[in-house]
Amino acid sequence: MSFQKEKILIIGASGQIGIELTETLSKIYGNDCVIISDLNPPINSTNNTFEKLDALDKNALFDLVKKYSITQVYHLAAMLSATGEKNPMFAWKLNMESLFHLLDLAKEKHIKQLYWPSSIAVFGPSTPAENTPQYTVMEPSTIYGISKQAGERWCEWYFKKYQVDVRSLRYPGLIGWKSSPGGGTTDYAVHIFHEAIKTQQYECFLSESTALPMMHMEDAIRATIEIMQAPAEKIKIRSSYNLSGISFTPKQIAEEIKKYIPDFKISYKPDFRQAIADSWPKSINDDETKKDWGWKEKYDLPKLVKNMLENIK
Ligand code: NAD
Ligand code: AKB
């Protein structure tokens, strides 16, 4: 199967996921076929065309799609859970309005396919926390989670009503060494590696026993591209798919890091992000994802820690 004809636009390309997605998509489709956009240019050097874009500006978005004859959009611009709680009205505006602009462009057939990520934040304190299934109680308690849940409903609605080919994954916390996280509750699991290498100590903003679903960025990028490349008939869920990787606590990841850096010390000073973490699942069941389009993660905790430490060094 050839994927060469796609012309891709990544929005929010300078963020934690965008930097890595740009690299992988460019290897598959070529730099010329992957246009990157964001409010700010990426901090790493790239051979892709960068266009400054505010995802809230519908006209600018339309112009960009036309200028490059875009067929697929990966829409990554959003405000995440921790920053969202500090600026709830703007988080709602950014997360919802930018999605509407893209769903409308797809409905009007200006683009063929849209990828929009959801999150484990769609679940809330009344959701079963262990092995959380695809279909369950969903009463998110953060503005970020509320916006993701509403976004999921809108994606499904646009698919059913207008056959918009929108695809989505409920990412867990993502951990990679090529880029920095941007204002989430799971960010500690990236910061811990940098501090372990630089100072051999880390003060964690979550308590030692806070288990959360996490995933290596390489697995997340592969899942993203796999769902976008899967035949449309295999994508049975048009809200968003559960995606399971690893589940661990700050204490467990610290113990794994100590195997490589024996002097590493972790201390705990939970802040407002503890309440967010406590409202989320501890582990995720992604049986539907595996069944529908054959997803399988590669990284477990020991492999993830080894990979992060080797690469950050
Ligand atoms: P990030 O904060 O690292 O990156 C977001 C990027 O969007 C930034 O570069 C920012 O400059 C850009 N941006 C913000 N407002 C914009 C606007 N108005 N117009 C254009 N660009 C704008 O976020 P991320 O971690 O890369 O997350 C990307 C997506 O994945 C988000 O939808 C997020 O909710 C979702 N997600 C991420 C994780 C994770 O662990 N990283 C987990 C679950 C879901
Ligand atoms: C966050 O912590 O806000 C994100 C997420 C899990 O959606 N990493």
Side-chain angles (χ1 to χ4, degrees), residues 103-170:
L103 287 169
D104 281 337
L105 284 182
K107 171 189 148 191
E108 290 155 13
K109 312 272 181 247
H110 299 298
I111 53 172
K112 280 193 314 193
Q113 240 189 337
L114 172 62
Y115 178 78
W116 169 82
S118 185
S119 161
I120 53 161
V122 293
F123 301 113
S126 53
T127 302
E130 300 280 358
N131 204 26
T132 303
Q134 175 74 35
Y135 302 106
T136 184
V137 180
M138 292 163 84
E139 294 182 315
S141 53
T142 59
I143 288 300
Y144 174 64
I146 295 168
S147 73
K148 289 293 184 189
Q149 192 197 29
E152 286 192 5
R153 300 285 86 228
W154 278 102
C155 287
E156 190 184 276
W157 188 82
Y158 268 80
F159 171 73
K160 285 189 172 157
K161 189 105 175 160
Y162 302 114
Q163 296 75 53
V164 164
D165 189 357
V166 55
R167 305 178 183 203
S168 177
L169 298 168
R170 290 175 182 153

Side-chain angles (χ1 to χ4, degrees), residues 30-51:
N31 288 314
D32 292 352
C33 292
V34 182
I35 309 300
I36 58 175
S37 68
D38 200 292
L39 290 175
N40 309 301
I43 49 164
N44 58 326
S45 66
T46 163
N47 292 321
N48 299 77
T49 302
F50 172 78
E51 292 271 4

Side-chain angles (χ1 to χ4, degrees), residues 250-261:
K251 189 172 178 207
Q252 286 168 328
I253 194 173
E255 273 162 12
E256 199 59 40
I257 290 172
K258 271 187 209 166
K259 292 182 186 164
Y260 298 86
I261 307 175

Side-chain angles (χ1 to χ4, degrees), residues 11-19 37-40 53-57 75-81 90 94-95 98 115-121 144 148 169-175 180-184 186-187 217:
I11 302 172
S14 306
Q16 191 197 6
I17 300 174
I19 285 178
S37 68
D38 200 292
L39 290 175
N40 309 301
L53 172 79
D54 181 351
L56 290 171
D57 184 341
H75 175 33
L76 306 176
M79 196 176 274
L80 277 74
S81 59
F90 187 70
L94 173 61
N95 296 3
S98 59
Y115 178 78
W116 169 82
S118 185
S119 161
I120 53 161
Y144 174 64
K148 289 293 184 189
L169 298 168
R170 290 175 182 153
Y171 290 137
L174 302 183
I175 303 167
S180 306
T186 58
D187 294 8
M217 186 63 87

Side-chain angles (χ1 to χ4, degrees), residues 69-86:
S69 306
I70 297 297
T71 57
Q72 279 187 353
V73 175
Y74 289 77
H75 175 33
L76 306 176
M79 196 176 274
L80 277 74
S81 59
T83 28
E85 288 308 283
K86 291 185 176 161

